[in-house]
Amino acid sequence: CGAAISWRYPLVEVLTGGLFIAALLAFGPTPHGLVAAVLLAALVVVTFIDLEHQVIPDEVTLGGLPVGLLASVLLGRPPFPEALLAALGGAGALYLLAVYGELVFRREVLGGGDVKLAAMLGAFLGGRHLLLAFFLACLAGGIVGGLLLATGRAERGTLLAFGPFLAFGAAAALFFGEPLWAWYWEWPR
């Protein structure tokens, strides 16, 4: 039709393909590898939609939640009780953060899409890896926010989409969760 193609489309395709290859290399051509690829595809969708529109579609999170729980039943990784508790606990934690954050700052600080995304991530990752994903998301968000403030590209009170940071944390926990936890527990105290 002669219309220009946005840079976003090839970026999404290359990123998704690269993540699928990474899942294949990390988990092999196994059911766990397939589940990882499904989660990673959902995280790519969440990231780009949230960056552009500051919304996370229910079709991804509420559709992904039962997929993660079913995968935990079929594969036992994470065990179903852990996946269910992590889904409920993750959503509950972010819901409370949203409610109390709004009370403190007198404006919305976290959207409902982030809460539902936390539930989906809990179902796929389980409790330990969800906790790691939250930590990495907050760390990455703090670094990016600090850099934006320092360079004058944002000011105090500017809201950043949190979904991409949750997606980053979840992907990092998926691929590197076990070594990161092992490193943490071996750290001298």
Side-chain angles (χ1 to χ4, degrees):
C1 67
I5 296 175
S6 168
W7 60 269
R8 178 180 164 173
Y9 295 109
L11 177 62
V12 167
E13 298 296 331
V14 168
L15 180 61
T16 305
L19 288 170
F20 283 4
I21 291 169
L24 179 65
L25 293 173
F27 307 109
T30 63
H32 185 62
L34 176 63
V35 170
V38 168
L39 173 60
L40 292 165
L43 296 178
V44 170
V45 170
V46 162
T47 295
F48 283 92
I49 291 176
D50 201 17
L51 282 173
E52 186 171 338
H53 302 286
Q54 290 207 333
V55 66
I56 299 174
D58 287 349
E59 292 82 1
V60 176
T61 56
L62 296 181
L65 176 61
V67 172
L69 291 173
L70 179 62
S72 76
V73 168
L74 297 176
L75 303 179
R77 206 162 117 194
F80 178 73
E82 180 185 344
L84 183 60
L85 285 174
L88 294 170
L94 286 194
Y95 176 76
L96 289 174
L97 185 63
V99 168
Y100 288 110
E102 191 168 334
L103 288 173
V104 170
F105 295 105
R106 301 191 196 296
R107 66 182 203 166
E108 184 179 78
V109 297
L110 202 60
D114 298 310
V115 173
K116 296 169 202 166
L117 178 58
M120 183 188 87
L121 295 178
F124 276 97
L125 298 174
R128 283 182 346 125
H129 285 8
L130 179 63
L131 183 61
L132 179 60
F134 282 170
F135 172 76
L136 294 172
C138 292
L139 180 64
I143 291 170
V144 169
L147 289 173
L148 290 172
L149 286 171
T151 59
R153 301 183 86 197
E155 53 191 53
R156 286 185 63 118
T158 300
L159 293 180
L160 295 178
F162 193 52
F165 299 112
L166 283 172
F168 163 76
L174 177 70
F175 286 115
F176 308 111
E178 290 305 323
L180 284 173
W181 277 115
W183 171 79
Y184 173 77
W185 288 116
E186 291 171 6
W187 187 263
R189 294 186 188 359

